[in-house]
């Protein structure tokens, strides 16, 4: 880690040395984005497969590549490690990183169970290190715009949210479709609503691999009456990434596949008559108003996510998508899985609300789409 002296003669860090573990599909995206940051150096990359490392070495000749995770763990020049390996490895790898006094960013979902997430959070707090989860959509311009619109009250009370994430494949060998795809939907919904659900129902079906559901629905019930439906599938003819938010005043559709019109606001709604004396007088009135498309800032969300992680490591800030954020998502996944296996009945969520973040932050996190995301 490069250090400079401040006016009090104390050292402060200006450049973070990071290592990326897992160079399969997603890892190279992390490597590319970290290497584009002026305050970050991709010091090392690790994978178990020679061909993955060979590809990275040809793209980044000055980066050290290794199959030996311990080698980067024990290297005092490595300040932080980003983990993009299969989900079942997340806990063990992240635990070692934190135990070696380094910051860690873990791809979604944070770990395979609530207990594992709590273990990582406690270790990060004990060692005063950043623990961040790769909830990439929280860093998108579209999701931040939708949050801004909800918070402004423009949509009114939120009646329901429907989130669909479906395509043909990619089947995962170790996790079912909700552990693969729903972390995105759930992190977006929790981020948008700033609420935690009181219960969850799940239904799913495994058509190919026993116990690995390839299509599933999750229903979340929120304390204020809002309901959210998540549909995930690896068995759909179309690639769909669409979230519909229906409010008492307006409706918002976020279509992540659309290039230029990711968010549309519909001035549509239904009103029941305030009173009526006979069935003949009972008429709902339907409003079909304008549709508008807000302007969104253009940037790569992963770049913002990587930039934010480096900032948190260098400046002792709590990540926006911190360990607690990872825990909240995993707690819903765990309960949804139980519901799927138990015939779809409502499950409480095994996450103690009382587990409030004990922050390692000295300054509050400033993360404003208008400032940070141009
Ligand atoms: N944020 C996003 O939008 C996003 C998108 C895709 C994947 N992901 C996440 O990224 C992670 C990886 O997914 P992927 O699709 O890249 O998987 P992948 O199978 O393509 O790649 C995983 C890589 O990890 C390597 N690996 C496995 N165990 C290892 C170990 N112990 N040490 C070092 N390397 C090891 C494998 O050799 C492989 O190259 C998952 O958690 C996934 O959910 C996130």
């Amino acid at each position: 880690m490069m250090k400079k002296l401040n006016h009090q003669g104390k050292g402060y860090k200006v450049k973070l040395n990071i290592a990326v573990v897992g160079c399969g599909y997603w890892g190279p995206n992390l490597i590319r984005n970290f290497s584009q940051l002026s305050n970050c150096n991709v010091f090392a990359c690790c994978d178990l497969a020679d061909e993955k490392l060979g590809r990275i070495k040809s793209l980044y000749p000055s980066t050290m590549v290794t199959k030996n995770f311990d080698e980067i763990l024990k290297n005092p020049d490595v300040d932080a490690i980003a983990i993009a390996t299969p989900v079942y490895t997340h806990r063990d790898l992240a635990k070692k990183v934190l135990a070696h006094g380094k910051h860690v960013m873990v791809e979604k979902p944070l770990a395979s169970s609530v207990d594992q997430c709590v273990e990582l959070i406690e270790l990060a707090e004990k060692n005063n290190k950043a623990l961040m989860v790769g909830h990439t959509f929280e860093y998108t311009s579209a999701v931040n715009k939708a949050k801004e619109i909800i918070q402004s009250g423009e949509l009114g009370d939120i009646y329901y949210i429907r989130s669909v994430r479906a395509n043909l494949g990619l089947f995962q060998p170790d996790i079912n479709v909700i552990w693969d795809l729903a972390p995105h939907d759930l992190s977006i919904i929790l981020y948008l609503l700033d609420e935690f659900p009181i219960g969850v129902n799940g239904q799913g079906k495994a058509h190919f691999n026993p116990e690995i559901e390839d299509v599933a629905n999750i229903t979340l019930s929120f304390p204020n009456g809002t309901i959210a439906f998540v549909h995930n599938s690896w068995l759909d003819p179309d690639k769909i990434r669409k979230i519909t938010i229906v409010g008492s005043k307006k409706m918002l559709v976020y279509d992540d596949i659309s290039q230029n019109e990711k968010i549309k606001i519909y001035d549509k709604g239904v009103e029941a008559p305030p009173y009526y004396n006979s069935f003949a007088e009972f008429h709902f009135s339907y409003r079909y108003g304008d549709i508008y498309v807000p302007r969104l800032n253009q940037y790569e969300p992963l770049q913002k996510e990587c930039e934010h992680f480096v900032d948190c490591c260098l400046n002792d800030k709590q990540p926006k998508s911190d360990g607690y954020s990872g825990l909240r998502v995993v707690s819903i996944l765990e309960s949804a899985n139980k519901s799927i296996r138990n015939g779809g009945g409502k499950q409480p969520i095994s996450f103690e609300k009382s587990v409030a973040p004990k922050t390692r932050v000295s300054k509050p996190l400033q993360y404003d789409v208008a400032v940070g995301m141009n």
Side-chain angles (χ1 to χ4, degrees):
M1 174 139 41
M2 267 175 63
K3 288 192 176 185
K4 272 187 178 175
L5 290 184
N6 66 13
H7 63 282
Q8 291 158 328
K10 290 185 182 155
Y12 67 97
K13 307 151 229 169
V14 291
K15 198 157 187 167
L16 188 85
N17 276 335
I18 196 160
V20 176
V21 183
C23 307
Y25 163 65
W26 195 246
N29 291 323
L30 293 173
I31 298 166
R32 174 173 54 78
N33 277 290
F34 280 125
S35 68
Q36 285 168 2
L37 297 174
S38 60
N39 57 355
C40 182
N41 170 41
V42 180
F43 186 90
C45 293
C46 173
D47 200 288
L48 301 177
D50 286 320
E51 74 273 14
K52 305 274 172 55
L53 294 177
R55 186 164 161 257
I56 298 301
K57 193 71 189 169
S58 69
L59 291 168
Y60 307 92
S62 63
T63 296
M64 174 188 132
V65 295
T66 178
K67 286 164 88 173
N68 184 356
F69 181 56
D70 280 354
E71 199 181 335
I72 53 175
L73 271 183
K74 288 180 183 150
N75 190 323
D77 288 330
V78 175
D79 308 306
I81 298 185
I83 295 173
T85 54
V87 181
Y88 69 89
T89 65
H90 288 183
R91 183 276 217 105
D92 287 355
L93 294 176
K95 204 175 154 184
K96 285 184 185 166
V97 176
L98 291 166
H100 279 77
K102 300 180 193 298
H103 306 284
V104 68
M105 175 169 148
V106 187
E107 259 317 319
K108 58 82 194 165
L110 178 57
S112 303
S113 71
V114 166
D115 290 349
Q116 292 184 3
C117 293
V118 171
E119 200 183 349
L120 293 179
I121 291 169
E122 286 176 354
L123 191 55
E125 285 176 353
K126 184 171 152 236
N127 292 353
N128 200 31
K129 293 293 157 199
L131 167 62
M132 175 159 149
V133 59
H135 289 166
T136 313
F137 281 88
E138 290 182 32
Y139 299 86
T140 61
S141 194
V143 170
N144 280 283
K145 176 57 82 178
K147 187 174 169 83
E148 189 185 302
I149 290 168
I150 290 172
Q151 284 181 338
S152 75
E154 188 178 345
L155 305 185
D157 296 332
I158 305 302
Y159 288 156
Y160 78 87
I161 297 184
R162 179 183 63 234
S163 188
V164 182
R165 197 165 301 271
N167 40 259
L168 196 59
L170 295 170
F171 278 72
Q172 303 290 323
D174 55 328
I175 49 172
N176 68 11
V177 71
I178 65 167
W179 282 85
D180 180 36
L181 299 181
H184 289 315
D185 307 286
L186 298 173
S187 62
I188 294 170
I189 291 168
L190 298 185
Y191 182 62
L192 289 178
L193 295 180
D194 251 336
E195 287 267 356
F196 194 70
I198 45 179
V200 59
N201 297 74
Q203 290 86 29
K205 186 94 206 287
H207 294 93
F208 294 91
N209 296 324
E211 305 242 311
I212 300 195
E213 289 80 6
D214 40 58
V215 58
N217 284 327
I218 300 175
T219 305
L220 305 172
S221 317
F222 287 87
N224 62 0
T226 300
I227 190 160
F229 308 100
V230 175
H231 175 75
N232 295 137
S233 177
W234 291 326
L235 265 183
D236 198 286
D238 292 323
K239 178 167 178 170
I240 310 169
R241 303 293 185 246
K242 201 169 188 176
I243 298 185
T244 305
I245 306 169
V246 173
S248 56
K249 293 185 187 160
K250 290 186 186 174
M251 303 176 183
L252 182 152
V253 176
Y254 161 32
D255 184 356
D256 197 52
I257 302 294
S258 168
Q259 277 302 310
N260 302 316
E261 299 186 346
K262 283 195 190 294
I263 287 197
K264 287 184 186 164
I265 319 291
Y266 292 76
D267 185 11
K268 288 189 176 188
V270 183
E271 269 142 43
Y275 56 86
Y276 56 95
N277 292 321
S278 66
F279 185 69
E281 286 176 25
F282 179 85
H283 292 292
F284 281 122
S285 62
Y286 299 94
R287 195 178 62 259
Y288 299 95
D290 293 337
I291 301 170
Y292 81 89
V293 179
R295 194 186 72 81
L296 298 177
N297 296 322
Q298 299 289 334
Y299 58 81
E300 184 176 351
L302 192 58
Q303 179 85 107
K304 286 290 163 205
E305 184 186 314
C306 292
E307 198 177 292
H308 178 56
F309 178 64
V310 172
D311 182 35
C312 289
C313 297
L314 291 176
N315 299 305
D316 278 345
K317 292 180 184 171
Q318 182 86 354
K320 171 164 124 159
S321 50
D322 60 7
Y324 290 92
S325 178
L327 166 64
R328 285 190 282 272
V329 165
V330 167
S331 64
I332 298 174
L333 292 172
E334 204 173 84
S335 296
N337 235 32
K338 276 188 202 147
S339 175
I340 290 173
R341 300 287 153 81
N342 294 331
K346 195 178 222 167
Q347 285 284 329
I349 300 176
S350 48
F351 163 65
E352 289 296 321
K353 262 189 163 177
S354 56
V355 186
K358 283 180 239 132
T359 172
R360 62 182 277 276
V361 199
S362 44
K363 309 146 218 155
L365 176 61
Q366 296 292 323
Y367 209 83
D368 176 26
V369 67
V371 178
M373 299 200 172
N374 278 316

